[in-house]
Amino acid sequence: MGDQRRPLLPGEPAPAFALPAANLEAMVSLDSLRGRAFLIGFYRGLHCPFCRRQVLQLAGVQADLQALGVETLAVINTPVERARLYFRHRPTPVRLLCDPDCLTHRAFGVPYLEFQPETEGERSGWPYRASMAEFGAARINPGGALPAPMQPMEANAALNAMDGFELDQTDQAIFESHATQLVGHFLVDGSGIVRWAQIEARDGPNGLCSFPEAAQFIAAASSSLP
């Protein structure tokens, strides 16, 4: 696992953070959220079509979460200037925070995948380590947007083409640096304690890009908060 820590568990305190928002002129921090519960999702950058779709899904559930007293935040690892340009044309009511270095992802313990040498007999350490063969054999089609399940990188390219999304130099640089960053969601109460957590593809690479549905977020907020 290298320098990776495990994901935060319910009952543990959320780490301090302060990130720039792409859709308002402000920094958002753990301290600024004190006294309010919040759902925070950590995503890959705009280069990931599945993550773009999840941000849209969060926007659709935001009103229901607000009714339960829960703020909704999404952290993407796209620089704030690029994110502002994109969301100027595709606005979202979700507070959209930017962390191009994935430092906050790591602080919450969201795993990032490293490819291990093809050594005979070496066991997979998913979701932290995997062989290229294991990753290459994965087939995904979450939400059924593709005509058939595809290898994850091929699925990304196919959906970006369907969306008419072209990676610019900034997107490409982030993709090259953080392509194997996984996604995580955490529900944090008003005192800063994690009450619920979900990590992408816990059981293996065939679960990549499958994220919680709106009903799961609502159920977590309804049952997990004091």
Side-chain angles (χ1 to χ4, degrees), residues 37 59 61-72 93-95 218 221:
V61 75
Q62 184 183 40
D64 291 316
L65 290 174
Q66 282 182 332
L68 295 169
V70 179
E71 301 278 349
T72 310
V94 173
R95 290 199 200 184
I218 295 169

Side-chain angles (χ1 to χ4, degrees), residues 44 111 113 115 124-142 150-152 180-183 198-211:
R44 293 176 284 276
L113 179 66
F115 292 115
S124 170
W126 190 271
Y128 301 98
R129 288 172 63 83
S131 68
M132 288 296 296
E134 181 183 12
F135 180 74
R139 295 295 181 269
I140 66 169
N141 189 13
M150 301 176 70
Q151 201 279 332
T180 59
Q181 175 65 57
L182 297 187
V183 168
Q198 180 275 338
I199 300 297
E200 177 187 15
R202 279 279 200 180
D203 297 326
N206 286 326
L208 287 167
C209 303
S210 294
F211 306 138

Side-chain angles (χ1 to χ4, degrees), residues 19-29 32-33 36 62 71-74 80-81 83-85 87-88 91-98:
L19 296 171
N23 49 359
L24 70 158
E25 294 291 335
M27 296 287 289
V28 176
S29 67
S32 73
L33 294 162
R36 291 172 288 170
Q62 184 183 40
E71 301 278 349
T72 310
L73 306 133
V80 67
E81 296 83 3
R84 282 176 177 160
L85 178 63
F87 285 101
R88 187 176 303 146
T92 175
V94 173
R95 290 199 200 184
L96 190 73
L97 311 183
C98 296

Side-chain angles (χ1 to χ4, degrees), residues 87 104 193:
F87 285 101
T104 319
I193 302 300

Side-chain angles (χ1 to χ4, degrees), residues 9-14 30 34 187-196 225:
L9 299 173
E12 295 183 321
L30 182 64
R34 290 287 181 188
L187 184 65
V188 181
D189 69 19
S191 61
I193 302 300
V194 173
R195 294 299 178 181
W196 173 85
L225 294 174

Side-chain angles (χ1 to χ4, degrees), residues 141-165:
N141 189 13
L146 299 166
M150 301 176 70
Q151 201 279 332
M153 291 302 180
E154 294 175 355
N156 275 5
L159 275 188
N160 277 330
M162 289 170 58
D163 293 348
F165 183 91

